[in-house]
Amino acid sequence: MTTLPDLLRGHALVEHLTRQGAHPALRQGKESVTYADLADRVSDVAEAYAGGRRLVLLTPRNDVASVVEYLGAMAAGQVVLMCAPASRDALVAAYDPDVVASGVAREWRREGSVHDLHPDLALLLSTSGSTGSPKLVRLSRDGLVANARAIAASLHVREDDLAALNLPLHYCYGLSVLHSHLLRGAALLLSEASVTDEDFWQQARDVTTLAGVPHTFDLLERGGFAERDLPRLRYLTQAGGRLAPERVRAWAELGRERGWDFVVMYGQTEATSRLSVLPPDRVLDAPTSIGLPIDEVTFTLAPADHPDADVGELVARGPGVMLGYAESPADLALGRTTHALHTGDLARRRDDGLWEIVGRRSRFAKVCGLRIDLDHVERSLAAEGFVTAAADGGDRVVLGVACEARAVDVAAVEAAATRVCGLAPTGVCVVTVPDLPRLANDKVDYRGVLAAVAVPAQRSSKPRMSPATAADIVGLYARLLRRPDARPTDSFVSLGGDSLSYVEVSLRLEALLGDLPAGWPHTPAAALADAPLARRRRGTLVETNVVMRALAILTIVATHANAFGLLGGAHLLIAIAGFNLARFQLTGASRPQRTRRILTSAARVAVPSALVIGVFSLVGLWAEGLTWRQVLLVNGLTSASWSEPGWYFWFIEALVHTLVLLALFLSIPRVDALERARPFAFPMGLVAVAMLTRYDVINVPGDAEHRAHVIFWLFALGWAAARAGSTRQRLLVSVVTVVTMVGAFPQWERDAYVALGMLALVWVPRVRVPRAVAGVAGVLAAASLWIYLTHWQVYPHLEGSWPWLALALSLLVGVVLSGAATRLERLVLRR
């Protein structure tokens, strides 16, 4: 067994990692990293940070690169602010970090630091339930080390352990799993897959430990965990919220049958992580208990307004207790301001010496003059078989009940709640939701419960952040994405948003919120509503890919109508499609979800295309040459040379074929795992393979530049552009773009146009344009598919005499039909 007094302190960290040698440290997909290799990588990152202490905001994923970035920054003595993706923009604005990093990118915002950073300060974490709030927990290196050591001792972490790290690294519980296992030289399996995903269990079959919050155990039950064969599993740990006693007992009994332990733990972000452990041999006798304090932690009770004399507010003391809160950059200079942590939890010490939480001091509502203990309401209803989330709705108690897994008898819940609360029926509101809304750390999002019924939460002293509420944004998503089940915890991407719906949603959101923050597609609706109100400036920010889509369709139609000539728009659209695939279909989804998303996007292009081509061909609106091949989008597979109108729709065919084949390719578990492990290298590898057809190593007879497998390199380059997170990666994409575009087409202007469009995607994420221009660009981009499909029937009648009128009418017809198709689709789905 290896111990380390100064884990996370300078070179001692690298030395500790080095001493573990060839022992496995991290595993992600097919990648396995030894401790020696990890030491080298951490040392390289630490060297990059050398030269002084800085405030580093890190948005980690559960991957090797993020762990290396975090450990390297710690080894270099930096102060790391761990950040959930949804909180990134708000925290950047509030704390002005010197460096903004992820596992794949590092943005140096200045040479040194503008902050006065206290010598003891090492880590900043968001407080539980404060997604997007500027209030942070200040933690010291000594506290992190002491907590990791105590947890490792309490759980008897061994060198031969393999812990599944599926909790987010920006969450204190997930981070403590990392710390405690690295301390003992154990290995960690890094994964962002859900425990309901079979891909996760294919990788996790040999894990020895698994950590979860209450929601994790809900998912485990749904996923048939009890039947899984996990021969090396030693124990499950549960923290991050209260698990009902009957479920604690059920999990403990299952563990006893299957040969593993169920360990209940209790902790808070303000105490670095976990504070107590319930010994596994006492779980069945004391399923309501949080156990005993870990090493170097003591519990006492402070007086509280509670009818039971033996109940008080739990107060924790120990080295892991935070230095204090930070609410502004000036607070980063403070030393210790908190010596005892008043947890806000009401607790008692039992006769057997174990500690027990009985409620939350701040979890009270006052309705009709009665003081309602919301935790007591939840526990009482759970005892009657109703799993609810009780929130303070001001003049009533709001109860959220999940209805996705089973039907809910609302009347029965209301009757039980009014009896438990001692209120009239008007004092209780029951709202059913598919699943209870969750925060980033998987705890219940009570604000989300309130938003589900548009009940205003208690007024805060903080100024209004956004002109829109979470309910406004959820309603917008429900309408535009046709997702009536949308919740405040959902984002545009998680609801299945894609490149076709992106433009309209972004424009509508901008009308609500002002300039949208970077990364808004992945930000939950509640966090968007809580984001700082954007300062209104002249013009508006529009994402470059929207502008390029509008420009591409404009130049396509203008060239065909003889208004002006600039070829290459359709090839640029292929690259943009790859760019958007990475941003929407491949982000934040399991393997089956990815497959469904990609195939759905392909269908949203293929179905209207087949219908339009079929209708026009049947009514004779096209000359001879339009056959079933075009209707079924297989002309490129059955015809060798260009002919009109047979090849008019090559772009549609190429895009649909590419999406379908990629969906099948990425549905292979090993391919999916490789893409997740190497998100940038994977599409660049596809670019390299595509060079075989780009440079005729594999010869393609006939009209090569209009076939999917020949122009696939453009799609893959767009994909890589979206994944490029560092300057080096963006430079690589840029160089490959410029080199491969030279001579790609017979006209150099065409080469230049596509190359410049690609470079804009890589280097200019957003551009500020006049609002009128933004509106026009948004409309054209959103209608680009219908403009492309229908312009063939408009411009030929006017191109000889009135080319500009031909252009204008072609665009207008496509926009009008696009709007009509969207309204029809919504009407059909509503019925």
Side-chain angles (χ1 to χ4, degrees), residues 644-655:
E644 297 182 357
W647 277 77
Y648 279 174
F649 304 99
W650 70 266
F651 162 71
I652 302 291
E653 291 188 15
L655 179 58

Side-chain angles (χ1 to χ4, degrees), residues 401-440:
V401 188
C403 62
E404 185 174 56
R406 59 179 180 177
V408 174
D409 187 340
V410 174
V413 177
E414 286 178 341
T418 54
R419 184 179 67 255
V420 168
C421 296
L423 296 170
T426 55
V428 174
C429 172
V430 177
V431 56
T432 58
V433 290
D435 199 2
L436 294 178
R438 301 279 169 181
L439 297 166

Side-chain angles (χ1 to χ4, degrees), residues 715-796:
F715 185 95
L717 271 177
W719 180 350
R723 293 298 201 198
S726 66
T727 301
R728 181 178 300 178
Q729 290 174 343
R730 287 191 285 270
L731 282 172
L732 178 59
V733 174
S734 301
V735 170
V736 173
T737 295
V738 172
V739 170
T740 57
M741 285 308 305
V742 174
F745 304 108
Q747 309 86 5
W748 69 266
E749 298 93 339
R750 194 173 183 181
D751 296 342
Y753 178 27
V754 179
L756 289 173
M758 277 291 303
L759 293 177
L761 289 178
V762 173
W763 295 103
V764 188
R766 296 189 292 177
V767 293
R768 186 171 294 280
V769 298
R771 294 189 181 278
V773 173
V776 172
V779 169
L780 293 181
S784 56
L785 173 63
W786 282 88
I787 293 172
Y788 188 90
L789 286 172
T790 60
H791 81 285
W792 306 101
Q793 287 306 303
V794 180
Y795 79 83

Side-chain angles (χ1 to χ4, degrees), residues 7-297:
L7 181 71
L8 301 178
R9 188 181 298 279
H11 296 295
L13 170 59
V14 177
E15 292 170 2
H16 167 68
L17 299 175
T18 302
R19 280 198 294 270
Q20 313 311 309
H23 193 71
L26 306 175
R27 202 170 84 192
Q28 178 193 350
K30 295 299 181 181
E31 180 182 11
S32 182
V33 179
T34 67
Y35 269 91
D37 185 22
L38 180 60
D40 290 340
R41 298 191 194 187
V42 169
S43 182
D44 289 343
V45 173
E47 185 177 344
Y49 279 111
R53 298 184 81 214
R54 305 172 189 84
L55 177 61
V56 179
L57 183 144
L58 176 61
T59 306
R61 295 178 58 185
N62 280 28
D63 57 20
V64 172
S66 295
V67 171
V68 170
E69 187 73 18
Y70 167 66
L71 295 177
M74 279 291 187
Q78 310 299 295
V79 175
V80 179
L81 195 174
M82 287 294 238
C83 171
S87 307
R88 180 184 180 276
D89 292 337
L91 290 175
V92 168
Y95 281 90
D96 187 22
D98 304 308
V99 183
V100 176
S102 66
V104 296
R106 191 182 304 133
E107 176 190 351
W108 300 90
R109 306 181 79 215
R110 56 184 63 91
E111 285 290 330
S113 178
V114 296
H115 300 287
D116 184 5
L117 304 171
H118 192 276
D120 293 339
L121 181 61
L123 183 65
L124 296 162
L125 296 176
S126 292
T127 60
S128 297
S130 65
T131 300
S133 167
K135 187 175 182 179
L136 301 174
V137 172
R138 296 183 290 117
L139 299 173
S140 69
R141 276 182 172 74
D142 291 341
L144 294 171
V145 173
N147 187 259
R149 183 189 297 112
I151 290 173
S154 296
L155 296 177
H156 307 289
V157 177
R158 307 186 311 212
E159 288 186 353
D160 62 348
D161 274 329
L162 173 63
L165 183 49
N166 55 302
L167 297 171
L169 277 173
H170 57 75
Y171 174 33
C172 68
Y173 189 6
L175 199 58
S176 75
V177 173
L178 177 73
H179 290 166
S180 57
H181 285 77
L182 289 180
L183 176 68
R184 292 292 181 91
L188 296 115
L189 171 67
L190 303 171
S191 176
E192 292 186 326
S194 168
V195 294
T196 61
D197 193 335
E198 287 303 317
D199 287 353
F200 173 80
W201 293 108
Q202 288 179 13
Q203 301 175 45
R205 189 176 183 276
D206 57 343
V207 297
T208 60
T209 69
L210 177 66
V213 297
H215 185 52
T216 307
F217 293 93
D218 292 339
L219 298 176
L220 287 173
E221 288 178 351
R222 295 181 198 175
F225 176 83
E227 307 304 319
R228 295 195 180 277
D229 180 22
L230 302 170
R232 295 192 63 219
L233 186 64
R234 295 204 298 122
Y235 58 80
L236 306 182
T237 63
Q238 182 268 315
R242 183 178 181 274
L243 197 63
E246 62 273 15
R247 297 189 63 211
V248 170
R249 186 177 284 111
W251 279 101
E253 289 173 346
L254 176 63
R256 179 169 292 184
E257 294 173 6
R258 302 298 296 272
W260 44 262
D261 290 328
F262 186 68
V263 185
V264 175
M265 310 185 79
Y266 164 81
Q268 290 197 351
T269 307
E270 288 83 348
T272 300
S273 179
R274 292 163 280 181
L275 284 165
S276 67
V277 178
L278 177 61
D281 60 352
R282 304 183 70 173
V283 173
L284 290 175
D285 297 327
T288 61
S289 172
I290 61 170
L292 300 169
I294 61 176
D295 292 349
E296 299 187 76
V297 172

Side-chain angles (χ1 to χ4, degrees), residues 59 83-91 131-133 438-440 445 447 466 469-470 473-474 476-477 481 486-496 502 505 509 513 515-532 543 583-584 587-588 766:
T59 306
C83 171
S87 307
R88 180 184 180 276
D89 292 337
L91 290 175
T131 300
S133 167
R438 301 279 169 181
L439 297 166
D445 179 3
R447 288 190 304 173
S466 165
T469 65
I473 299 172
V474 168
L476 187 148
Y477 285 162
L481 299 178
R487 301 168 297 177
T489 50
D490 289 324
S491 68
F492 172 81
V493 170
S494 71
L495 289 171
Y502 171 81
V505 172
L509 277 179
L513 305 175
D515 289 345
L516 295 178
W520 73 263
H522 307 283
T523 304
L528 276 179
D530 284 345
E543 294 207 9
R583 298 180 69 217
F584 303 132
T587 302
R766 296 189 292 177

